[in-house]
Amino acid sequence: MLCLGRSLDSPCTLALLVGFQFAFVVYFSLGGFKGLVSVLVRSADPEFDYSKPHDVYTNLSQLGAPLIHPETTGATALASGREHLKDCPDPSPLLVGPVAVLLSSSFSLDQIRDRNPLVLPGGRYLPPDCEPRHHTAVIIPYRNRQAHLRALLYHLHPFLQRQQLHYGIYIVHQMGNSTFNRAKLLNVGVKEALKDGEWQCLFLHDVDLLPENDHNLYVCDPKSPKHVSVAMDKFRYRLPYPQYFGGVSALTPDQYMKMNGFPNQYWGWGGEDDDIAARVRLSGMKITRPSVAVGHYKMIKHRGDRGNEENPRRFDLLIRTRSNWKSDGLNSLTYELLSKELEPLYTNLSVHIGEDPRKPQKTHPPYKSPEGSQKKQTPPQAPGSTDLQKTQKAKKDAAGGPGRERGGSVSEGQGGSHQDGGVRKANETRGVALPGRLGNHSFGVPAQEGGVKNVSAQVT
């Protein structure tokens, strides 16, 4: 007020002009009105220093000894000795925040297993000293990514153990040479995982994404589907567009069924994540996300995959999402479960999901056993499991069981043997059935004619 009425060249007036210019520069340097508000109004989001990450195996020594032997199977054995346990604290006291990420792991699966002694067969884990509040199935669509899988398993197991979750990791391995179909593999993984009966949360996870902050909890939002990988280094730790739903996402079984699962028609790269985001909206739900400060991920760089080329039909399919989502999804899913194997670090689901309708059909030659008899073609064993099962294979070969040819490539290096050259069905390898609070889940959809082989249409 003291400057009013004075000439424009007075020191007071000049000071006001300089002040206005400074405020103008600050306003736009902060990104306009929203940036200014974020500075003036204190944000509730935590701040993390990603320049000083912890080792991903920090605090694992505090987990204590297991209450059961790691090789014990069966729900009764797993439930025994846990009646006196209290609920795990919320949040977990073992969390450290930002963790270092090794994009290329030099560890073998044997070494990773040794570093995670509390992980049970099938990649299952239960906190040894408290009753978990959350039960999460991590479902990973997979083919020909052995190095990526090792890096993810090395990183994800200790990451989830510090969150004190009851979790299991499922690898859905697409067999054959047909075009890759990520969304359909996720459908298969969800349906097979829910047969174990205990999962309250379904985490859909690309094999090449590694989380950087263990405060990014692998639990579901009970009200809305959650997109988790909101800040990837590939996109300079920013969300590429508002409706992006790719990478890592999480849904409850009820949310999954409400949107009729995921589309089955996206053969090749691109489009399915946008279709899934549209299904969320069309089914009357909204997408939630963690804060950008927490949802950091690093992507393992790789070249384009053979058999996963860009899908030229993706835009035509997206246009039809509104009219197709109720008929293309869980209720139209068909596949053949070739084997379900409880590996030390994960549950491997080898599946045949059909052929890309755009390409000519190929017939697979019958498998020839060493004795020369014609037998049903046997799928390669679990991805990357060769070094974990040399002893078992030697025992089987000594007992006269037929071995299988093993190659040196990533896709052929998943060796092992099936006795009698046959395929082990899901009901023959049920393995660990952990106790849970979810109960039986029925999909509530009629089985389709010519549909799923070797599996039932209802979760048991």
Side-chain angles (χ1 to χ4, degrees):
M1 300 298 294
L2 297 176
C3 295
L4 294 177
R6 299 189 180 186
S7 60
L8 293 177
D9 56 351
S10 66
C12 185
T13 304
L14 292 176
L16 285 174
L17 291 175
V18 171
F20 279 123
Q21 289 178 343
F22 178 76
F24 183 82
V25 171
V26 170
Y27 175 80
F28 283 100
S29 66
L30 293 174
F33 179 75
K34 290 184 178 180
L36 184 61
V37 169
S38 66
V39 172
L40 297 178
V41 180
R42 186 174 181 179
S43 174
D45 293 337
E47 295 182 1
F48 297 98
D49 185 1
Y50 283 90
S51 66
K52 300 177 181 179
H54 295 80
D55 184 88
V56 73
Y57 281 84
T58 301
N59 286 344
L60 285 201
S61 60
Q62 301 181 27
L63 292 176
L67 296 175
I68 58 172
H69 193 277
E71 295 182 358
T72 303
T73 60
T76 303
L78 289 172
S80 62
R82 299 188 60 90
E83 297 83 1
H84 68 284
L85 295 180
K86 297 181 180 180
D87 287 344
C88 294
D90 186 21
S92 168
L94 304 177
L95 302 181
V96 297
V99 293
V101 173
L102 297 178
L103 295 179
S104 58
S105 174
S106 59
F107 292 93
S108 68
L109 292 179
D110 276 333
Q111 292 171 320
I112 299 172
R113 179 184 57 182
D114 292 341
R115 297 206 67 176
N116 296 273
L118 302 185
V119 174
L120 302 172
R124 310 290 186 86
Y125 174 79
L126 272 169
D129 52 0
C130 62
E131 192 64 31
R133 297 174 181 268
H134 305 283
H135 309 267
T136 298
V138 181
I139 299 167
I140 303 167
Y142 175 89
R143 188 172 66 181
N144 298 352
R145 296 283 195 90
Q146 189 174 358
H148 295 178
L149 179 59
R150 286 200 308 270
L152 180 63
L153 293 172
Y154 174 85
H155 187 87
L156 199 56
H157 273 297
F159 184 93
L160 297 178
Q161 289 173 62
R162 277 201 307 279
Q163 295 185 2
Q164 295 185 314
L165 307 176
H166 165 212
Y167 72 84
I169 295 179
Y170 293 81
I171 305 299
V172 192
H173 187 190
Q174 180 176 337
M175 306 302 294
N177 298 318
S178 180
T179 306
F180 194 69
N181 190 326
R182 174 180 178 268
K184 191 170 185 179
L185 289 173
L186 290 172
N187 273 337
V188 174
V190 168
K191 194 163 187 178
E192 291 298 322
L194 287 180
K195 290 180 178 181
D196 292 334
E198 71 259 25
W199 307 122
Q200 297 175 344
C201 181
L202 308 166
F203 252 73
L204 317 171
H205 209 298
D206 283 354
V207 73
D208 55 3
L209 286 177
L210 307 178
E212 298 184 59
N213 191 325
D214 61 12
H215 285 262
N216 186 6
L217 301 181
Y218 274 44
V219 301
C220 282
D221 184 328
K223 297 181 180 179
S224 303
K226 182 168 70 170
H227 178 234
V228 185
S229 54
V230 298
M232 295 160 49
D233 62 339
K234 174 184 179 180
F235 301 123
R236 299 182 179 180
Y237 294 108
R238 297 178 180 177
L239 195 67
Y241 52 91
Q243 297 304 320
Y244 181 66
F245 203 70
V248 182
S249 54
L251 304 94
T252 67
D254 288 337
Q255 292 164 0
Y256 169 84
M257 288 182 277
K258 186 176 181 179
M259 56 192 284
N260 192 25
F262 310 132
N264 298 312
Q265 300 181 18
Y266 286 82
W267 298 88
W269 181 88
E272 81 286 342
D273 47 356
D274 293 323
D275 189 298
I276 296 171
R279 287 168 179 254
V280 173
R281 298 191 301 273
L282 291 169
S283 58
M285 298 183 288
K286 295 182 179 180
I287 297 173
T288 61
R289 293 184 171 93
S291 71
V292 173
V294 171
H296 277 219
Y297 282 80
K298 284 190 182 296
M299 175 179 282
I300 304 174
K301 295 181 180 179
H302 57 90
R303 297 179 180 179
D305 298 324
R306 183 178 181 181
N308 192 28
E309 293 80 10
E310 192 173 273
N311 182 2
R313 298 181 60 236
R314 64 188 186 279
F315 298 114
D316 292 335
L317 291 170
L318 282 170
I319 293 174
R320 300 187 181 97
T321 299
R322 181 177 293 273
S323 59
N324 288 351
W325 74 275
K326 291 185 178 181
S327 58
D328 173 30
L330 171 65
N331 58 2
S332 63
L333 176 64
T334 60
Y335 64 96
E336 182 179 4
L337 178 63
L338 301 176
S339 68
K340 179 177 181 179
E341 298 161 313
L342 301 180
E343 301 293 340
L345 295 170
Y346 55 90
T347 296
N348 184 72
L349 303 170
S350 295
V351 298
H352 178 65
I353 59 173
E355 304 288 339
D356 182 354
R358 298 171 299 165
K359 295 185 177 181
Q361 301 287 329
K362 295 182 180 179
T363 57
H364 301 285
Y367 169 71
K368 292 185 177 181
S369 70
E371 293 77 17
S373 60
Q374 298 288 329
K375 299 187 179 181
K376 185 176 180 180
Q377 186 184 16
T378 307
Q381 207 169 22
S385 63
T386 303
D387 57 343
L388 290 177
Q389 300 196 352
K390 289 180 179 179
T391 304
Q392 291 87 337
K393 182 180 185 302
K395 291 180 179 179
K396 290 180 181 179
D397 291 343
R404 290 211 316 270
E405 296 179 0
R406 294 166 57 188
S409 68
V410 171
S411 59
E412 295 174 342
Q414 300 146 6
S417 64
H418 292 298
Q419 292 185 353
D420 299 328
V423 177
R424 290 192 289 179
K425 300 183 179 67
N427 60 357
E428 297 173 308
T429 56
R430 301 302 294 177
V432 181
L434 299 180
R437 304 169 180 172
L438 184 59
N440 291 340
H441 240 286
S442 173
F443 282 93
V445 208
Q448 300 295 309
E449 184 177 354
V452 180
K453 301 178 182 178
N454 295 343
V455 294
S456 93
Q458 181 173 344
V459 177
T460 58

